[in-house]
Amino acid sequence: MNVDLVVAGAGFFGLTVAERCAADLGLRVLVLDRRGHIGGNAYSEPEPETGIEIHRYGAHLFHTSNERVWEYANRFTDFTGYQHRVFTTFKGRVHPMPINLGTLCSYFGRSFTPDEARALVAEQAAEITDPANLEEKAISLIGRPLYEAFIRGYTAKQWQTDPRELPAEVITRLPVRYTFDNRYFGDRYEGLPVDGYTAWLERMADHPNIEVRLGTDFFDVRADVAGGVPVVYTGPLDRYFGYAEGDLGWRTLDFETEVIATGDFQGTPVMNYADEDVPYTRIHEFRHFHPERTHYPADRTVIMREYSRAADRDDEPYYPVNTARDRERLLRYRERAAREDGVLFGGRLGTYQYLDMHMAIASALSMVDNRLRPHFTEGVPLTGGGIDR
């Protein structure tokens, strides 16, 4: 193989590494991905009947306060002025999320000043002082009424487990905003790529020093492509080592896409469903992500219902479960990774961390700066490659 670096995985992490190594270091990079498209879970495509751009693996919203990441992203795409706002349905009424002063006023049916709202939540949260499970932890943070309305049913569907049987550490914080600010993210920069995620990602890969092979599993060609050159591996960490320390736990998502004969189904991009008897956790309506696209049909819309469940080996992993047993196994896998000379592990799957897109880009840029650049420009060996966190 006439390449300098192999990257397993064409998501944001892998493509950032490939683009920087090709464009900045002049390396020949081979990128492999088992899927038939680049971009990992950020992949977007037009729905064939309507032409409305959908995010095949659930809504992806770009936001960051990292100046370097924002500057880097803007090399490949312009961004719209989109600001993400989420609403939730509970018992036939709609409330803004995350919990803010508007949520408190709508749920309790009266107006509050910020001080009145703080006093109410503090009084209700005082019920639990020594939480022993997720439910008690949540109540100790926001009180029982808000927990039962907005957290209990949603959490039970996400985990398919009674919250009283989940450990308290699953929830570390539940912020309440005592203003009417209902922006979902608080980062300095936010928006959606003007031409969509796939166009952005294709521009990252469009370099003469980068070869992308889709529909190619790294493990099927490992012996042919990985000999003698460094590897950046972004696939499942446990799979790399043949599950020798046991399977790491993940949650996965199932999606049900439907074209509806109306110009507007729900009036907002994302509607959560907090009632436990509603089987899905939320509905995405993709036309609302790009209101500036006037060519979308006026009489049809595309919705996507999202369901959560435990992941098997053949499923696409989304959220690390991160139980005590998972953490024990992860430590053992990290020890194995540290002994893999010439292999660096990164990205969501390779580090067993949930990474937003901006976090994946930032982590990849750091890997190039701290590990790959010194190796290729100064000859620093990649012994004990290990996991970049």
Side-chain angles (χ1 to χ4, degrees), residues 19-281:
E19 189 279 331
R20 286 291 77 207
C21 286
D24 195 35
L25 301 180
L27 302 179
R28 297 159 299 179
V29 184
L30 173 63
V31 180
L32 308 172
D33 202 290
R34 61 181 175 80
R35 290 172 168 172
H37 60 74
I38 66 170
N41 288 352
Y43 176 73
S44 63
E45 61 185 345
E47 191 282 323
E49 182 179 336
T50 63
I52 294 173
E53 182 190 9
I54 66 171
H55 302 173
R56 186 189 290 185
Y57 305 98
H60 281 68
L61 299 315
F62 191 76
H63 57 96
T64 186
S65 292
N66 186 317
E67 294 282 351
R68 186 184 186 195
V69 169
W70 182 244
E71 185 277 330
Y72 180 74
N74 275 269
R75 298 181 191 181
F76 306 100
T77 182
D78 293 325
F79 287 90
T80 68
Y82 177 86
Q83 292 184 339
H84 194 48
R85 288 176 169 82
V86 173
F87 296 86
T88 188
T89 296
F90 177 69
K91 294 190 181 301
R93 297 179 62 189
V94 175
H95 309 274
M97 292 295 284
I99 298 171
N100 60 71
L101 201 54
T103 315
L104 296 171
C105 292
S106 64
Y107 178 71
F108 290 107
R110 53 156 293 194
S111 63
F112 290 96
T113 66
D115 287 342
E116 290 171 339
R118 284 191 182 90
L120 174 67
V121 171
E123 177 185 354
Q124 293 176 344
E127 174 188 341
I128 302 290
T129 57
D130 188 21
N133 54 51
L134 184 150
E135 178 169 292
E136 292 181 354
K137 177 68 172 179
I139 293 171
S140 75
L141 294 170
I142 62 172
R144 185 176 295 275
L146 294 175
Y147 162 75
E148 291 186 345
F150 303 120
I151 307 300
R152 175 175 169 76
Y154 197 87
T155 300
K157 290 188 291 186
Q158 273 199 319
W159 292 89
Q160 296 178 317
T161 303
D162 189 312
R164 292 170 294 187
E165 299 176 7
L166 293 169
E169 65 255 24
V170 171
I171 287 185
T172 57
R173 58 190 294 268
L174 281 172
V176 177
R177 296 178 185 165
Y178 296 100
T179 70
F180 288 99
D181 178 11
N182 68 340
R183 277 187 62 193
Y184 197 77
F185 304 113
D187 287 300
R188 179 175 181 182
Y189 303 110
E190 181 177 1
L192 291 173
V194 169
D195 300 321
Y197 282 102
T198 296
W200 172 6
L201 292 153
E202 286 175 343
R203 290 179 192 125
M204 292 178 68
D206 185 18
H207 191 283
N209 284 0
I210 297 176
E211 177 188 352
V212 178
R213 294 187 192 172
L214 302 176
T216 305
D217 192 315
F218 169 73
F219 295 100
D220 292 339
V221 297
R222 182 178 182 179
D224 299 323
V225 303
V229 300
V231 172
V232 174
Y233 175 80
T234 70
L237 179 61
D238 48 3
R239 187 186 178 206
Y240 183 91
F241 294 104
Y243 306 99
E245 304 294 347
D247 290 43
L248 293 171
W250 290 85
R251 302 294 296 173
T252 191
L253 299 174
D254 294 320
F255 302 102
E256 178 183 271
T257 304
E258 183 179 359
V259 176
I260 305 290
T262 181
D264 193 345
F265 176 78
Q266 64 186 17
T268 192
V270 179
M271 180 69 72
N272 290 353
Y273 287 83
D275 297 288
E276 196 167 350
D277 59 352
V278 177
Y280 41 84
T281 55

